[in-house]
Amino acid sequence: WGYLEGANHMLDRAFWVQVALVVCFLALNTVFNLYNKWLFTPVEKNGAGLSIPVFATLTHSVAGFIVAVIMSLFPTIFTPKPIIGWKQWANIVVISALFAATITCNNSSLAHLPLSLQQTVRSLSPVTLALCAYLIEHKTFSISKIIALFFLVGGIIMTVASSGSASFIGILFVSISVISGSLYYTYVSLYLGPEHKLTAIDILYYTTLPVAMMLLPLFCITNEPSILATFGEEHGMGKTLGLLFIGCCLAVVYNVITFTFIGMLSAVYLSVVANFKLVLLILIGILVFHETLTWLNAIGLVIATGAFCAYSFFEYLDKVEKDKEKQEAQAATTKSV
């Protein structure tokens, strides 16, 4: 009955904030993934041919740090929260390392796997993230959410089922990305909680420079410098810098939206939304490019859509309940004073 009562609040501010975050995240996540896939794909496969995932991640991190520093020059917009003690700094380094591993391995996998196969492996991330949240944050999930989560993962796997060729190194990269990403989002969720009270820009301010410093040696020992130099000679520095600049802009906005999403909703729900975008991409392919589906794909599409709607509804009701408890606690404190 609690779930049914929650439906009466569907038009309040919390609901529309959640809708706005979901729409923004879906749009940015989709555009960012498609752009990176195109950028890292060879020219003979209709890509840009600039296969430099490590350097791209490095430049995205530097861009995020520059934006955060510029914002810190205007205290009315952003004032960095102080990081106190070696334990907090150690946690910042861990978060940075996990982010570097997640993004670098994800981008690297795009150069070795078909997008559908890569996303099939990534569709397991809501389960791994829920497990990390349970073990590290001690979060619990209702039976309704757990059931919706497994139907979502199963539906997505059925929807993107592909016969594309698998590369061992590609599977390894994307698997590492899923595991490190689950740990990364769990730790970010902890630091965006009430205990630490860091904002999305704080995370950007403190973690992006360490990420860039970690990736610089890796970039130097790979063949990416020669790939970058060759691309610049063939296409000109203007085009090369332009492609990198577009990626930086997308990365900065995407990271801010991601951290805001985690802080206001949850890391597990973020993963749920990120995976549901696959369904939207397939629907776009059907409606715009007249692509065909197998019966397995079609059934998976229906299951994934229903599971996503159900999980979103349960997540919203949980947020309404938490906001209600917070208001009651504030009212009790005011009354006692």
Side-chain angles (χ1 to χ4, degrees):
W1 288 106
Y3 284 149
L4 293 177
E5 291 174 1
N8 295 326
H9 302 282
M10 291 293 280
L11 295 178
D12 64 12
R13 180 175 177 273
F15 171 73
W16 291 113
V17 168
Q18 177 174 331
V19 170
L21 280 174
V22 168
V23 171
C24 289
F25 179 78
L26 276 174
L28 283 168
N29 187 288
T30 301
V31 172
F32 199 25
N33 271 283
L34 290 175
Y35 181 77
N36 282 338
K37 176 61 180 174
W38 171 77
L39 186 67
F40 304 144
T41 298
V43 175
E44 56 269 22
K45 294 184 178 180
N46 299 319
L50 188 55
S51 183
I52 51 170
V54 175
F55 186 70
T57 308
L58 191 157
T59 57
H60 298 168
S61 300
V62 172
F65 179 72
I66 292 173
V67 169
V69 168
I70 292 174
M71 293 180 69
S72 70
L73 299 177
F74 304 91
T76 55
I77 299 176
F78 167 64
T79 301
K81 299 286 194 311
I83 301 296
I84 303 170
W86 68 270
K87 286 186 177 180
Q88 288 195 2
W89 280 111
N91 286 330
I92 290 295
V93 172
V94 169
I95 290 174
S96 302
L98 289 172
F99 177 82
T102 300
I103 303 302
T104 302
C105 288
N106 180 73
N107 288 344
S108 298
S109 70
L110 290 171
H112 296 277
L113 292 175
L115 186 59
S116 60
L117 182 56
Q118 193 246 22
Q119 294 296 323
T120 300
V121 179
R122 288 201 61 82
S123 67
L124 297 174
S125 59
V127 176
T128 58
L129 187 49
L131 183 60
C132 288
Y134 174 76
L135 295 175
I136 297 174
E137 295 186 81
H138 307 294
K139 282 189 174 182
T140 56
F141 300 89
S142 66
I143 296 298
S144 301
K145 276 191 174 183
I146 293 174
I147 293 174
L149 200 60
F150 277 97
F151 270 100
L152 175 75
V153 172
I156 290 174
I157 291 175
M158 291 169 65
T159 304
V160 300
S162 170
S163 59
S165 57
S167 159
F168 172 76
I169 189 67
I171 294 293
L172 179 63
F173 275 138
V174 73
S175 298
I176 294 173
S177 175
V178 168
I179 295 170
S180 59
S182 297
L183 291 169
Y184 166 72
Y185 285 126
T186 301
Y187 278 107
V188 167
S189 179
L190 280 172
Y191 264 79
L192 290 173
E195 182 180 348
H196 298 91
K197 295 182 179 178
L198 295 181
T199 66
I201 306 300
D202 283 317
I203 298 291
L204 204 66
Y205 182 81
Y206 286 114
T207 63
T208 46
L209 190 59
V211 168
M213 294 172 64
M214 293 175 188
L215 292 178
L216 183 57
L218 182 61
F219 165 70
C220 294
I221 63 175
T222 63
N223 64 340
E224 289 193 11
S226 61
I227 293 175
L228 185 62
T230 302
F231 189 91
E233 291 175 0
E234 294 179 353
H235 301 277
M237 289 305 297
K239 180 177 179 178
T240 305
L241 293 176
L243 292 173
L244 291 172
F245 179 75
I246 292 172
C248 288
C249 292
L250 288 172
V252 171
V253 178
Y254 176 73
N255 284 329
V256 171
I257 292 294
T258 297
F259 297 145
T260 303
F261 194 115
I262 294 173
M264 297 188 68
L265 297 170
S266 74
V268 175
Y269 187 40
L270 176 90
S271 182
V272 168
V273 175
N275 279 275
F276 182 70
K277 76 164 188 303
L278 300 177
V279 175
L280 298 182
L281 288 176
I282 291 171
L283 282 174
I284 291 172
I286 294 171
L287 297 174
V288 178
F289 301 107
H290 307 291
E291 296 178 356
T292 58
L293 287 179
T294 65
W295 277 106
L296 180 66
N297 298 147
I299 294 171
L301 189 68
V302 173
I303 292 174
T305 302
F308 173 74
C309 293
Y311 195 98
S312 298
F313 182 63
F314 298 146
E315 182 73 23
Y316 167 72
L317 294 177
D318 284 349
K319 181 170 176 56
V320 169
E321 187 63 29
K322 288 178 183 178
D323 290 344
K324 183 179 178 181
E325 291 175 359
K326 188 184 296 184
Q327 291 173 1
E328 290 176 350
Q330 291 175 346
T333 303
T334 304
K335 187 176 181 180
S336 63
V337 174

